[in-house]
Amino acid sequence: MNEQNLRPVRTTEEAKAKGAIGGKKSGEAKRRKKSMKAAAKLLLSLPAQGDAEKQLVKLGLDPADADNQMLVMAAMFLKAAKGDVKAATFLRDTAGEVPMTERDRAEVNYTKERLKLDREKLNYAKERDKEAPPDEYESDGFIDALTGTAAEDWKDE
């Protein structure tokens, strides 16, 4: 950005007008991106045509499942089968089979152990509260005064 071209906003009205323009441009960009996402989904959902459909059927797929999304996945599968590690990683990740790292495993184990200890602590507190006698306290006569039974204790002698 060229700072020499920046002009400061002078009035509230000018700031509102520029903000409105920026908001409209932002909305247009979001709509464009959304429409590209929708277009990609539409293209992937279209049925495979011609040789592509035949190749999918040859791989053993039901012709009803032969859409462009399946075509892309089959192409990645064939590349992975030929030894392409990136294609194999893509397939594994897309299938939800992302391996856990040692750190991930350690974090899961730590969380499990912490939950176990928290559960034990809670159970201990529950048992302790069951066994403990109710709190005993020395009455200062306030409750009795409220009910009218301590009137004599508070008389001036």
Side-chain angles (χ1 to χ4, degrees), residues 140-157:
D140 62 358
F142 182 72
I143 300 297
D144 292 334
L146 288 176
T147 58
T149 59
E152 287 191 28
D153 290 339
W154 289 15
K155 280 185 184 177
D156 288 335
E157 293 183 25

Side-chain angles (χ1 to χ4, degrees), residues 49-70:
Q49 301 291 317
D51 289 339
E53 181 182 14
K54 291 176 188 173
Q55 288 177 341
L56 291 173
V57 171
K58 189 176 177 182
L59 283 171
L61 293 168
D62 185 342
D65 294 330
D67 60 6
N68 288 334
Q69 180 173 320
M70 189 61 72

Side-chain angles (χ1 to χ4, degrees), residues 11 35 53 111 134:
T11 65
S35 65
E53 181 182 14
T111 303

Side-chain angles (χ1 to χ4, degrees), residues 91-111:
L91 283 172
R92 181 202 64 207
D93 293 352
T94 303
E97 299 292 327
V98 180
M100 290 179 73
T101 64
E102 284 301 314
R103 180 184 168 137
D104 293 337
R105 278 190 207 91
E107 195 172 315
V108 167
N109 289 336
Y110 171 78
T111 303

